[in-house]
Amino acid sequence: MTKRVAILISGGGSNMVALARSMEGAHPAKPVLVLSNDPKAGGLAKAHDMGIATASVDHRPFGKDRAAFEAALDSALQKASPDIVCLAGFMRILTPEFTRQWEGRMLNIHPSLLPKYKGLHTHARALEAGDTEHGCTVHEVTAALDDGPILGQARLTINADDTPDRLAARLLPLEHRLYPAVLRRFAEGDKTPVFI
Ligand code: GAR
């Protein structure tokens, strides 16, 4: 049966668009919801234009009450009955209580070659460390941040004139290839990592 996919975003949603496009035509999965923690996220309009249901749960009114925010997020998610949840530029840290219930069914893309550079500012940190290569990782989400079994990585060579912005821009097209490749395999029940 075709797997139902919910995609969580916080911003422009270019990875979400890449995932959604990849599911057009013959594919083991289909997008059933794009959900954002920011009602103004640019990706919501893009999803709407692609005919995908959208919803948002603004995190701000919840303040420090993460549990209440996540309860609202979970309720929006459950309504769409997803089999797979893809975090695609979703910039809220999820609690172990939340991730536990989606374990084995939730994926994330992170802009570094994990286990290097968990968290933020990954491009700047790779440059500061004098790395010769950089990349992105798709992994299963577990309780620990940017951890969990690696399902795919794409890498590029760092150039002498790279800046954090330039590196981010060069990496994004690789993210757009990697995430759909991993999702297709994952939806088929295949967790063999994809390397690009
Ligand atoms: C992507 O580069 C993604 O890897 C990164 O945010 C960007 C979202 O872009 N994710 C993280 O940093 C997660 N910690 P997009 O909205 O255009 O897909």
Side-chain angles (χ1 to χ4, degrees), residues 70-83:
E70 289 184 346
L73 197 67
D74 197 59
S75 139
L77 263 181
Q78 299 289 1
K79 273 185 209 149
S81 323
D83 300 300

Side-chain angles (χ1 to χ4, degrees), residues 4-192:
R4 300 170 62 81
V5 178
I7 306 171
L8 268 59
I9 63 167
S10 296
S14 70
N15 275 289
M16 175 278 296
V17 170
L19 288 172
R21 286 219 179 105
S22 77
M23 287 183 266
E24 290 168 355
H27 198 282
K30 63 177 179 185
V32 294
L33 177 68
V34 171
L35 177 59
S36 176
N37 63 297
D38 178 358
K40 295 207 172 99
L44 287 174
K46 291 177 195 163
H48 178 79
D49 289 348
M50 294 177 84
I52 306 167
T54 62
S56 62
V57 178
D58 192 344
H59 66 278
R60 285 164 294 199
F62 294 97
K64 292 202 167 104
D65 193 348
R66 244 175 227 281
F69 165 65
E70 289 184 346
L73 197 67
D74 197 59
S75 139
L77 263 181
Q78 299 289 1
K79 273 185 209 149
S81 323
D83 300 300
I84 299 170
V85 178
C86 290
L87 307 183
F90 185 69
M91 302 307 280
R92 304 303 300 169
I93 291 176
L94 296 166
T95 66
E97 291 70 35
F98 185 87
T99 55
R100 197 170 294 129
Q101 41 169 335
W102 293 100
E103 200 156 326
R105 297 183 290 153
M106 182 178 272
L107 313 183
N108 178 44
I109 188 157
H110 183 73
S112 80
L113 292 172
L114 290 173
K116 279 185 161 184
Y117 315 128
K118 297 174 180 180
L120 298 174
H121 311 301
T122 56
H123 314 300
R125 287 158 70 199
L127 289 172
E128 273 157 27
D131 290 357
T132 54
E133 62 172 8
H134 187 47
C136 53
T137 303
V138 176
H139 64 96
E140 278 184 55
V141 174
T142 54
L145 179 71
D146 299 330
D147 209 72
I150 288 176
L151 296 169
Q153 285 188 319
R155 50 189 73 225
L156 52 68
T157 302
I158 293 182
N159 295 333
D161 62 352
D162 268 326
T163 61
D165 282 352
R166 220 173 271 177
L167 207 44
R170 292 207 297 122
L171 185 59
L172 208 51
L174 283 178
E175 296 190 35
H176 298 164
R177 279 173 54 205
L178 179 68
Y179 212 170
V182 170
L183 176 62
R184 180 181 279 273
R185 271 196 194 181
F186 192 82
E188 284 164 349
D190 181 356
K191 296 190 179 186
T192 319

